[in-house]
Amino acid sequence: RQNLVIESADSKKQLKDIEDKILYLLSVSEGNILDDEELITTLANSKVTSVKIEERVKEQEKTGLLVQQTRESYVPVAVRCSAMFFVVADLCKVEPTYQYSLEWFV
């Protein structure tokens, strides 16, 4: 789950960096922006990159949802186990001999 969060943050950072680079190139561009080769190349590359990143983000969201559903499926088991633990821990209040292990009597 931690790796999923890290990958998601990296993907979003890459999208932000691409956006910032495009905005910078647009702001420093002089004259007709269609004549600026670097800007056109950057836009073309950023389109391909952003599509790939968006696909990864969607896949990460699906995986995150699956992880969350799997975690939630273990909640009933955890509730039962915690109840059993406290029942066994409090058995010595019912009968004092339960505070000793079987080896103590042998």
Side-chain angles (χ1 to χ4, degrees), residues 5-55:
V5 171
I6 292 170
E7 288 176 12
S8 178
D10 287 341
S11 297
K12 290 177 183 177
K13 183 182 180 304
Q14 285 179 343
L15 282 175
K16 178 74 170 123
D17 291 343
I18 290 170
E19 180 182 309
D20 290 344
K21 184 175 181 181
I22 291 170
L23 290 174
Y24 171 75
L25 290 173
L26 284 172
S27 68
V28 298
S29 178
E30 295 177 0
N32 190 357
I33 60 172
L34 297 176
D35 294 335
D36 191 351
E37 286 293 322
E38 183 181 5
L39 180 61
I40 300 298
T41 306
T42 303
L43 285 171
N45 290 340
S46 66
K47 182 178 180 183
V48 172
T49 305
S50 66
V51 167
K52 289 179 184 178
I53 291 173
E54 287 177 7
E55 289 173 358

Side-chain angles (χ1 to χ4, degrees), residues 63-101:
T63 305
L65 185 62
L66 179 64
V67 167
Q68 183 65 26
Q69 290 172 345
T70 305
R71 262 183 24 186
E72 288 174 2
S73 69
Y74 289 108
V75 170
V77 175
V79 169
R80 289 187 193 118
C81 289
S82 67
M84 285 177 46
F85 171 80
F86 288 109
V87 165
V88 171
D90 288 342
L91 276 176
C92 65
K93 294 178 182 174
V94 176
E95 176 64 40
T97 57
Y98 286 120
Q99 66 187 354
Y100 304 109
S101 67

